[in-house]
Amino acid sequence: MATLQVTKGTPTQRAAGGTPTGMGGSFRLLRLLGFDIYIHWSWLIIALLSTWSLATDYLPDSYPGWTAQQRWLAGAITSLLFFGSVLAHELSHSVVARRRGVPVRNITLFIFGGVSALGGEPRGARDEFWIAIVGPLTSFAAGALFAAIWLVARAQDVTGVAAVAGYLAYINVAVGIFNLLPGFPLDGGRVLRSLVWGANRDMLAATRVAANAGRLVAALLIGLGILSLFGQGGFGGVWFIFIGWFLWNAAENSYQQLLVENRLAGLTVGQLAEPAATRVPPDATLRQLVHEYILPRNQRAFFVGPAAGEVLGLVTLSDLREEPEERWDTTTVSRAITPRERLVTVTPETEATEALRLMAEHTINQLPVVAGRDFVGLLTRAALIRALQFREQIGGRRTSADILVPHAEGTSAAASP
Ligand SMILES: [Zn+2]
């Protein structure tokens, strides 16, 4: 499944810590057309599975005369070319997105296919339409190319090439069709959203329609998977259930994320952060931290440093929990802190939505606010939640509580296997 995913923030902010893809467990493979291409570990599972199924199932049926070595080699080459095709599909999304002014952060290949991480939503319905539709079109073009190779190879009696090309023609067309299913975040769901968006000029309402269609498609896939478990489906059934489950979550998350972004739109860190007036001296013990700072002030994080002079770092309730209580009298705060150079920070001008995303990405509950070299405040998750609840009451809509549960993937997506 190839996914278009929206995550916000500049590369520098992302480089401030954590995984540069936003998807933990990925490594950078190469840079292509100006995009960083990452591989997630789960991709290796599907690469092995597809090689194995080609070598032991598809190829022996079609070419019974082949040796095991020939089958495994052809299986591996086919798998590689298939993932090359998925990469081409993703690249097409990314190239069109960049051309239409939507920044692209990277492309990651993972177990369900690929993800193009976009740095924002398209500005208009027309941009959305072209960014989404180009992916399936690319898959169809790849399918046509491999079909042509298959025809030529078959006419020339080159069975090896015909075997590989025939399979790739079929799989690319299947990928193109699957991704045109009209459920957000599949490409087809994005196309649907762009059409509704263009008609009613309301992106949020269009997303709601497309996300509901996405959940319907997901439920159908899961149902189909369960049915085929009772039939002959076996592994295929399990696969459908997994993909359906992934889609269901992605549809749900993308809509919720958009809702939250809509609520927080226009708010900056400076409007929500609390001034960090109190500093804990570095030589205070952890027990003093608890009894003289955390409990009386009902606050979970403090800057550490001499009253006058530079901040050394941040100490939080989570740091405290890592130290056994019997050592609280002897351990000083300076040994439990996160030093300033390792802190993920924001500025007063950072958008609240970006701050929320950083907290989720790094699984942290607060962000120090810096202006130049000075630490000027602390933005807490609690402050963000208060702002959300406040705006929810004014807006009169309900927000589900688990929005703020960290999702390493902030998702607003369009998918393809
Ligand atoms: Zn796609």
Side-chain angles (χ1 to χ4, degrees):
M1 173 146 345
T3 311
L4 271 172
Q5 185 177 77
V6 177
T7 48
K8 293 210 171 131
T10 65
T12 347
Q13 281 162 329
R14 300 184 70 87
T19 54
T21 56
M23 196 187 262
S26 304
F27 63 90
R28 203 179 84 150
L29 185 71
L30 70 149
R31 200 171 161 80
L32 212 57
L33 303 177
F35 304 111
D36 286 327
I37 316 292
Y38 285 83
I39 300 277
H40 185 255
W41 65 266
S42 63
W43 178 84
L44 297 172
I45 295 178
I46 196 62
L48 286 173
L49 268 177
S50 85
T51 305
W52 173 74
S53 105
L54 283 163
T56 61
D57 192 17
Y58 168 78
L59 292 170
D61 283 355
S62 318
Y63 303 92
W66 283 14
T67 65
Q69 207 176 2
Q70 280 173 317
R71 283 189 265 128
W72 280 95
L73 183 67
I77 292 172
T78 312
S79 286
L80 272 178
L81 286 169
F82 171 50
F83 284 99
S85 309
V86 173
L87 187 58
H89 175 122
E90 291 309 320
L91 279 169
S92 72
H93 283 309
S94 294
V95 166
V96 174
R98 184 170 58 188
R99 199 174 295 161
R100 288 181 175 261
V102 181
V104 179
R105 304 193 137 180
N106 55 59
I107 293 171
T108 305
L109 295 183
F110 76 124
I111 188 158
F112 294 131
V115 178
S116 298
L118 305 184
E121 295 284 357
R123 278 171 302 196
R126 199 175 294 267
D127 292 333
E128 161 104 295
F129 176 84
W130 287 112
I131 294 170
I133 197 86
V134 72
L137 291 182
T138 303
S139 292
F140 290 140
L145 176 71
F146 285 117
I149 296 174
W150 173 72
L151 280 174
V152 173
R154 214 178 48 154
Q156 305 289 321
D157 243 10
V158 196
T159 46
V161 175
V164 170
Y167 179 81
L168 288 167
Y170 152 77
I171 198 85
N172 271 298
V173 170
V175 164
I177 291 174
F178 181 83
N179 282 282
L180 279 178
L181 288 176
F184 197 80
L186 289 166
D187 294 336
R190 284 209 163 236
V191 169
L192 172 66
R193 179 170 87 154
S194 75
L195 297 177
V196 179
W197 184 5
N200 69 5
R201 311 268 155 207
D202 181 347
M203 190 216 203
L204 203 61
T207 309
R208 193 161 53 231
V209 170
N212 282 337
R215 286 195 294 201
L216 186 69
V217 167
L220 286 174
L221 284 173
I222 292 173
L224 214 65
I226 292 171
L227 274 182
S228 87
L229 280 185
F230 288 113
Q232 301 283 313
F235 178 72
V238 177
W239 193 241
F240 267 25
I241 293 172
F242 271 127
I243 289 187
W245 170 79
F246 170 81
L247 272 182
W248 181 280
N249 283 313
E252 195 107 324
N253 289 345
S254 2
Y255 179 63
Q256 294 294 355
Q257 190 194 338
L258 200 69
L259 205 59
V260 166
E261 289 191 355
N262 210 48
R263 292 233 163 85
L264 292 181
L267 274 179
T268 61
V269 165
Q271 289 167 278
L272 299 174
E274 287 139 35
T278 315
R279 276 198 203 166
V280 179
D283 54 354
T285 65
L286 291 183
R287 194 167 301 282
Q288 281 173 310
L289 172 69
V290 173
H291 290 287
E292 293 169 28
Y293 294 89
I294 292 178
L295 291 177
R297 287 177 171 80
N298 196 27
Q299 187 181 324
R300 54 176 298 144
F302 289 92
F303 287 117
V304 177
E310 290 222 317
V311 165
L312 302 173
L314 191 75
V315 69
T316 69
L317 208 52
S318 316
D319 300 325
L320 187 75
R321 279 203 220 106
E322 280 171 22
E323 203 68 32
E325 202 185 331
E326 56 270 23
R327 295 227 292 265
W328 284 5
D329 286 311
T330 48
T331 308
T332 61
V333 164
S334 61
R335 295 191 49 188
I337 63 171
T338 308
R340 62 181 294 159
E341 61 277 7
R342 283 195 15 230
L343 289 170
V344 181
T345 60
V346 285
T347 69
E349 293 77 35
T350 306
E351 286 172 31
T353 50
E354 166 64 9
L356 184 62
R357 200 194 54 73
L358 281 172
M359 282 186 197
E361 183 180 326
H362 298 283
T363 336
I364 48 183
N365 292 300
Q366 63 286 310
L367 289 163
V369 186
V370 294
R373 275 196 63 79
D374 294 329
F375 284 76
V376 293
L378 201 59
L379 177 71
T380 62
R381 188 178 284 257
L384 277 173
I385 292 173
R386 270 201 307 278
L388 267 176
Q389 287 171 338
F390 185 62
R391 294 180 154 223
E392 180 199 331
Q393 282 170 16
I394 291 174
R397 291 206 197 99
R398 281 211 41 74
T399 311
S400 115
D402 60 1
I403 294 161
L404 296 167
V405 171
H407 284 289
E409 300 320 301
T411 44
S412 210
S416 23

